[in-house]
Amino acid sequence: MGLWRGKSPLILASQSSARKMLLANAGLEFIAITADIDERGVQAASKLSSPRDIGLLLAREKAKAVSANHPGSHVIGADQTLAFGERLFNKPAGRAQAMAQLRDLAGNCHELNSAVAVAHDGKIVFEEVSVARMTMRQMSEAELSAYLDAAGDAVTTSVGAYQLEGLGIHLFERIEGDHFTILGLPLLPLLAFLRSEQLIAV
């Protein structure tokens, strides 16, 4: 018997393999549905500049978009932003952009802002943002090229051109923050909320 106690299925408004893995490993049964929103359009229209606020806005909008078509279900929306000083990074469009991001980040510290929001019947009932501070080691052009060669197209699927659960771990010398935040889902506060609503059994 599963842990989920909701009357309707739990929904993850994402196809992120990392987020699906985190929920599955926590013993939760769920359905993954892609949120059909224009992320960059929503971001531009909001006029927000804070990476934290942008991440939370996108998590909310994803959750609400899927919730609108699934009444009764609790829908989890999530988003992650990378802040390097005052700059906000998006997923690189290709190898050249990935190299440019890595050149900037190498030898420096940046922040990952991981936001989660839960919608129920189109309304946000929970939200949280957690932060991880990531220090990337100094690397030569040859080392960066070798990493990009080894990682392949996967570098375009994550902001900052790395996935810490994969080859991206080789890029770092210090990490401050929990594993779940780094993978893009503040899992502990999310589980605490679901328990408070008696939606999970443990």
Side-chain angles (χ1 to χ4, degrees):
M1 188 175 184
L3 300 180
W4 182 247
R5 294 292 181 265
K7 294 180 180 179
S8 299
L10 177 65
I11 298 175
L12 174 65
S14 172
Q15 291 295 337
S16 161
S17 57
R19 293 185 182 116
K20 289 192 286 188
M21 175 195 70
L22 291 176
L23 288 180
N25 286 351
L28 297 181
E29 297 177 352
F30 62 93
I31 300 168
I33 299 174
T34 302
D36 186 20
I37 68 167
D38 175 9
E39 294 187 34
R40 299 289 75 84
V42 168
Q43 179 180 333
S46 74
K47 307 296 185 185
L48 294 173
S49 59
S50 161
R52 179 191 184 280
D53 293 344
I54 291 168
L56 188 54
L57 170 68
L58 293 174
R60 288 175 184 149
E61 292 304 308
K62 292 173 186 178
K64 289 193 295 185
V66 173
S67 178
N69 296 317
H70 295 85
S73 284
H74 285 78
V75 180
I76 301 167
D79 194 77
Q80 187 177 66
T81 59
L82 187 157
F84 178 48
E86 297 298 314
R87 295 172 57 192
L88 178 67
F89 282 28
N90 294 313
K91 293 175 184 176
R95 182 187 172 103
Q97 201 172 92
M99 175 63 93
Q101 289 191 6
L102 291 172
R103 281 196 196 104
D104 288 341
L105 297 177
N108 294 302
C109 179
H110 64 270
E111 292 186 343
L112 293 178
N113 297 271
S114 288
V116 62
V118 178
H120 184 255
D121 290 335
K123 295 181 180 179
I124 299 299
V125 294
F126 169 77
E127 59 185 40
E128 180 78 21
V129 181
S130 60
V131 181
R133 291 172 178 83
M134 319 285 289
T135 302
M136 199 174 280
R137 64 188 180 88
Q138 188 65 58
M139 285 170 285
S140 66
E141 288 285 305
E143 288 173 314
L144 292 176
S145 290
Y147 162 73
L148 290 171
D149 289 342
D153 292 340
V155 298
T156 64
T157 64
S158 298
V159 61
Y162 64 83
Q163 294 166 314
L164 205 75
E165 67 274 25
L167 295 179
I169 191 64
H170 293 283
L171 303 175
F172 292 90
E173 64 180 33
R174 188 169 67 254
I175 293 169
E176 301 169 63
D178 70 64
H179 183 64
F180 312 116
T181 296
I182 293 164
L183 294 186
L185 185 67
L187 187 60
L188 295 179
L190 173 62
L191 293 177
F193 165 73
L194 296 177
R195 277 194 299 273
S196 73
E197 296 294 305
Q198 299 183 325
L199 291 170
I200 51 178
V202 295

